[in-house]
Amino acid sequence: MTTGQPGTGKARPTPTGTDAETRSASASGTPAQPDRTSDAVSGKTSAPTAETTAPIAGAVADRPRSSDGGTTGATTSGDPQPSKGGGAKEEPAGDAATGEGDGRKGSAATGGTEGGSETSDSTAKADSATNAGKDGAPAKDGTDGGSEDVPVKGTGSGKRRWWSRGRRAGRTDGQAKPDGDTKTDEAKPDNPDRWEAFASAPEPRPSIVTRAGGAVGRFLIHEWTLATLGALALAVLMTWPTLRYPRYTLPQDYWDPSLQAWQMAWSGHILLAEPARLWQSNTFFPELWSFAFSDTLLGYAPAGMLGSGPEDAVLRYNIMFVLAHALATLGAYALARQLGAGRIGAAVAGVSYTYAPWLLAQAGHLHVLSNGGIPLALAMLARGHGWSLRHGYRPERRHDGWVYAGWLVAAWQLSLGFGIGLPFAYFLACAVIVTAVLYYARRLRTGQAVPFGRRLFLADLLGGLFFAGVGLLMAFPFFKVTELHPYAERTIDDISIFSPPASGFVTAPAESRIWGGLHEGARAALPWHPEMTLLPGFVLYALAAGGLFFSVWRLRHRLLLLAGVLVTMAFAMGTRFFDGTFTYVPLFEHLPGWNGLRTPGRLMLWTTLLLGLLAAGAVTALTDRVRELTAQRIPSWPGPWLRTATLLPLLLVAVEGLNTTPHPVVPTQPAAMRSTEGPLLVLPSNQSLDQHVMLWSTSGFPDVVNGGSGFTPRQLDDVRRVSQSFPDQTSVDYLRTLGVRSVVLLRGQVVGTPWEITIDAPVESLGISRQDVGDAVVYRL
């Protein structure tokens, strides 16, 4: 049964528990003991009435209230106190310690008490005054006119005050206190909330050292930190003993690595000393644009700024050689992860991409091994566009910062050389075109624009322009070289010499520890086996084949990856695939710069990457299945063994990449090279020895006539031909015409040459001087 309060027009809820007992006692004629309550609205006291004390006496007796409206223990005197406030106040049943009751949440123990603050009291008064004039307005619960329970905002953390709001006969907020009320707010004791003793102690604020240690710890266990450290450790192990004697040995041979060690040293030196002279190197004197005679590794120029001399150049080369392997592993891992592969599957893709057996034959070509920027840039661009192979396009994951980073990495990759960078540039151009076509095709088909965004469009526009600008700036010197030396251009016959047959895809180079000896006969059948042994790994073949049937990739994606593998293989065969009529020859004849690529087999890089992605899909599906099986087994004792078994593909791929790459000792720099002024000529001069001379010239970078590259300028051919009779009048006059001031003749290299006889001949009659410096003879013209 419900009871109504006079003048309110609103029915009160049926009391339960203690309230019910008290109300029953009151109804039977037993007077209820009054208790002191607080008025959260006005903070004023009034004499108790039958209307205010009887309905709530029992509940208040169980839950005494503090003087400011919060719940407290019993009063200090223990005497019943009259109810404060002129209006009746509804007190729903609930637990005062937790603040739970009638759907209201709050805890005095956690600081949600209602102290008698001026702000909350004034707010309550204002609300009461505002609502006092709404006479006759219907209540929110649908009753006519009556009182309404409303919360007071800002009265504590999570706790609410409630009071009865409505019309009362002869009662307003501005009504004075009854004469009999002698208690005032000033007389109230300012006691702290007693429940604060039960509150939990505040969390201690960590020191700056603790916070820094936590940040470092989180960084060290992050996936990408572990992936980077793992890639570095694996690179050191798989390239060993590169870092055993890094100042004195070079991997595979000391010819092309010497040239590339000089390239890094020259770019770093000249950018600090005289940047405008970058492309006019100190070699091939007096040729112009000589730095563009071969791929430049210009992206490694910052490393070239550290150290000086041949030993530092060799050390720098070996460090970058190891780091190039680490970056390739990390880049392919990042790409596979972004496309949706699991960690182990991505690791398989990274290791197979970096340590494929065919790349062991390229150990002396750092510009070929420096390919990690390709998958890394693709991973960043895919991340910035919110796209993955497994999950498709997710617009909410777009981020223009990753797009900018992807284009920057792509431009850096291009700066390392066009041998690897040019196909990458054309791939990016095709990807942009295909993406734009698919975007507008879907828009026309569905009538709705796919979310893209202006910021993303601007990032692609600016990043693409920057990438194109770097490409044009890099290409300009090469076009100048072609203009000055038309014979430097490749012909289709040159391409045929280096085009591998189909058998090359299953033939390993001699540097492969697993397959090198077994494939010796197959290599002998290849015309130029260093560029024709293109085995990416039998384990990789098997994993990729399994990925066609069991994979996390969708079927259409698997078929696209397979098509990419077959197409790149056909291009890698050069003129061996139907004479290249439909593959390599059109590119050679129509794409700018493509005729500078003489080794089609290096396109195997793309085949390896696509095979690695197929393998990553299969290994990821395997690991997912193992995870499901271990979660379902009771007991799960085989679980650790099954999870360990998922590492077997990664182990097999790594084992197949083991090598027997030699590390010969670099020829020592002659003492004469450290003191002789340029321009100078070092004899004997040929393609192999001149690359050593280039490395030796890193001591001060004097101008030297010698040089080795992908082609030999005709003037250098003339110098080598004329100097065969040096020292004689004809050769001396010719060298003076070129501006040569010194000639260094190496005694250790003259055996079997014309200089073996003339090295000690007198030269006074020629108007030149002769001096022995160490194991060389220096002629000053």
Side-chain angles (χ1 to χ4, degrees):
M1 175 178 181
T2 61
T3 60
Q5 192 171 1
T8 62
K10 181 178 180 180
R12 299 177 63 84
T14 301
T16 59
T18 307
D19 276 349
E21 295 174 2
T22 305
R23 291 173 186 269
S24 298
S26 177
S28 64
T30 304
Q33 187 72 15
D35 194 4
R36 180 165 68 180
T37 59
S38 62
D39 188 357
V41 178
S42 63
K44 300 179 181 179
T45 59
S46 62
T49 65
E51 294 176 358
T52 59
T53 58
I56 62 174
V60 176
D62 287 342
R63 297 187 299 157
R65 315 289 291 183
S66 66
S67 60
D68 58 354
T71 304
T72 67
T75 60
T76 57
S77 64
D79 297 333
Q81 300 293 334
S83 174
K84 292 184 181 181
K89 181 173 182 179
E90 295 187 8
E91 296 290 346
D95 186 0
T98 60
E100 296 176 358
D102 292 347
R104 295 167 299 174
K105 295 182 180 179
S107 174
T110 59
T113 61
E114 294 142 335
S117 64
E118 296 179 4
T119 303
S120 60
D121 286 344
S122 61
T123 304
K125 291 177 183 179
D127 290 344
S128 178
T130 301
N131 295 318
K134 298 180 180 178
D135 296 337
K140 290 185 179 180
D141 59 356
T143 60
D144 295 330
S147 63
E148 179 184 354
D149 291 343
V150 291
V152 176
K153 298 182 180 179
T155 58
S157 137
K159 192 170 182 180
R160 299 179 180 178
R161 292 184 177 183
W162 299 78
W163 68 88
S164 180
R165 183 174 67 185
R167 291 181 300 170
R168 297 190 182 280
R171 175 76 173 99
T172 62
D173 287 346
Q175 182 176 350
K177 297 180 182 179
D179 295 337
D181 192 355
T182 59
K183 293 184 177 292
T184 62
D185 288 342
E186 290 78 4
K188 295 178 183 178
D190 190 11
N191 295 330
D193 189 354
R194 298 182 182 183
W195 292 106
E196 291 182 358
F198 296 93
S200 59
E203 291 290 338
R205 184 178 181 182
S207 65
I208 188 173
V209 176
T210 304
R211 293 196 302 270
V216 171
R218 290 189 297 272
F219 172 78
L220 292 178
I221 64 174
H222 197 276
E223 175 187 354
W224 295 108
T225 303
L226 297 177
T228 302
L229 295 177
L232 287 171
L234 186 64
V236 172
L237 293 175
M238 296 294 285
T239 61
W240 190 261
T242 298
L243 295 183
R244 185 177 183 182
Y245 303 108
R247 299 173 66 90
Y248 309 105
T249 62
L250 287 171
Q252 196 173 53
D253 58 58
Y254 44 58
W255 293 299
D256 284 352
S258 295
L259 163 65
Q260 293 170 335
W262 166 82
Q263 288 174 332
M264 285 188 283
W266 167 256
S267 60
H269 160 76
I270 202 62
L271 288 177
L272 290 176
E274 192 178 354
R277 198 190 154 195
L278 171 64
W279 298 102
Q280 318 300 332
S281 75
N282 69 312
T283 59
F284 293 99
F285 177 84
E287 295 285 354
L288 300 176
W289 307 101
S290 54
F291 194 50
F293 284 179
S294 57
D295 276 340
T296 61
L297 294 176
L298 187 58
Y300 290 149
M305 297 177 182
L306 305 175
S308 61
E311 289 186 358
D312 286 345
V314 172
L315 173 63
R316 184 186 306 113
Y317 179 91
N318 285 319
I319 292 175
M320 300 313 297
F321 178 81
V322 175
L323 291 180
H325 285 79
L327 181 61
T329 304
L330 183 63
Y333 176 88
L335 178 59
R337 287 289 284 155
Q338 172 59 33
L339 295 181
R343 291 184 176 88
I344 298 178
V348 169
V351 174
S352 64
Y353 176 74
T354 307
Y355 303 103
W358 76 272
L359 281 170
L360 300 177
Q362 304 292 331
H365 301 142
L366 184 58
H367 62 292
V368 177
L369 300 177
S370 299
N371 51 56
I374 294 176
L376 184 60
L378 294 177
M380 290 178 171
L381 290 173
R383 171 68 179 85
H385 289 84
W387 184 83
S388 72
L389 197 63
R390 190 174 183 179
H391 306 291
Y393 179 55
R394 292 178 287 183
E396 68 278 3
R397 292 177 174 261
R398 293 170 296 169
H399 196 292
D400 58 317
W402 284 110
V403 176
Y404 284 115
W407 285 111
L408 287 175
V409 173
W412 173 80
Q413 176 66 55
L414 188 62
S415 70
L416 293 176
F418 285 111
I420 297 299
L422 189 63
F424 177 48
Y426 282 118
F427 173 82
L428 285 178
C430 292
V432 170
I433 294 173
V434 170
T435 302
V437 170
L438 292 177
Y439 176 86
Y440 285 106
R442 181 174 179 180
R443 183 173 182 178
L444 292 174
R445 185 177 69 253
T446 62
Q448 296 179 351
V450 179
F452 195 80
R454 295 182 180 179
R455 294 181 60 181
L456 203 62
F457 176 77
L458 183 63
D460 280 322
L461 180 62
L462 296 179
L465 289 176
F466 178 77
F467 177 80
V470 170
L472 291 176
L473 289 176
M474 290 285 296
F476 178 77
F478 290 92
F479 285 123
K480 293 295 293 184
V481 170
T482 303
E483 180 182 342
L484 295 173
H485 308 278
Y487 50 88
E489 290 190 42
R490 314 293 182 185
T491 64
I492 200 64
D493 293 332
D494 297 328
I495 304 302
S496 300
I497 296 175
F498 298 99
S499 295
S503 61
F505 296 117
V506 291
T507 305
E511 291 82 0
S512 174
R513 183 177 294 275
I514 303 299
W515 308 113
L518 297 175
H519 292 183
E520 184 176 358
R523 286 194 304 273
L526 299 175
W528 184 254
H529 66 82
E531 297 290 349
M532 295 182 179
T533 50
L534 303 180
L535 175 68
F538 291 112
V539 175
L540 183 59
Y541 276 143
L543 292 175
L548 294 174
F549 305 97
F550 180 70
S551 177
V552 295
W553 313 134
R554 294 181 178 89
L555 178 60
R556 66 175 183 273
H557 294 154
R558 287 178 251 168
L559 295 178
L560 286 174
L561 290 173
L562 176 61
V565 168
L566 298 177
V567 169
T568 52
M569 279 185 166
F571 280 101
M573 293 177 66
T575 58
R576 294 295 186 101
F577 185 80
F578 296 101
D579 296 329
T581 305
F582 308 104
T583 54
Y584 203 88
V585 172
L587 301 181
F588 184 87
E589 293 178 346
H590 301 292
L591 287 186
W594 201 275
N595 55 3
L597 308 180
R598 64 172 182 173
T599 51
R602 294 175 183 175
L603 292 176
M604 191 66 187
L605 187 71
W606 293 91
T607 305
T608 307
L609 181 59
L610 296 174
L611 288 172
L613 294 178
L614 275 173
V619 174
T620 301
L622 173 64
T623 55
D624 289 349
R625 182 57 179 161
V626 167
R627 190 179 299 110
E628 294 173 0
L629 290 176
T630 55
Q632 296 171 0
R633 293 188 65 89
I634 301 176
S636 60
W637 64 267
W641 296 104
L642 289 175
R643 287 192 291 269
T644 303
T646 60
L647 297 175
L648 184 60
L650 176 61
L651 179 63
L652 293 177
V653 168
V655 167
E656 200 169 14
L658 295 176
N659 66 86
T660 58
T661 303
H663 288 72
V665 177
V666 181
T668 306
Q669 179 193 33
M673 290 291 297
R674 294 190 292 268
S675 58
T676 305
E677 296 181 358
L680 61 90
L681 169 66
V682 179
L683 296 175
S685 174
N686 55 56
Q687 176 73 13
S688 299
L689 292 178
D690 281 4
Q691 291 174 334
H692 297 156
V693 174
M694 298 172 80
L695 176 61
W696 295 336
S697 72
T698 55
S699 292
F701 293 96
D703 289 334
V704 295
V705 179
N706 306 74
S709 70
F711 81 101
T712 302
R714 289 178 178 173
Q715 182 172 270
L716 182 56
D717 275 336
D718 293 340
V719 170
R720 290 171 178 172
R721 177 177 51 81
V722 173
S723 61
Q724 290 289 326
S725 59
F726 184 86
D728 66 350
Q729 195 64 51
T730 301
S731 60
V732 170
D733 292 342
Y734 179 75
L735 294 176
R736 283 174 173 169
T737 302
L738 294 178
V740 177
R741 300 177 57 184
S742 305
V743 176
V744 177
L745 186 57
L746 304 177
R747 287 184 178 273
Q749 302 292 334
V750 298
V751 178
T753 67
W755 298 290
E756 186 177 7
I757 301 173
T758 61
I759 190 170
D760 294 319
V763 295
E764 290 78 6
S765 60
L766 300 175
I768 61 177
S769 62
R770 177 182 177 279
Q771 179 185 4
D772 289 325
V773 180
D775 60 346
V777 179
V778 178
Y779 300 89
R780 291 181 172 82
L781 308 185

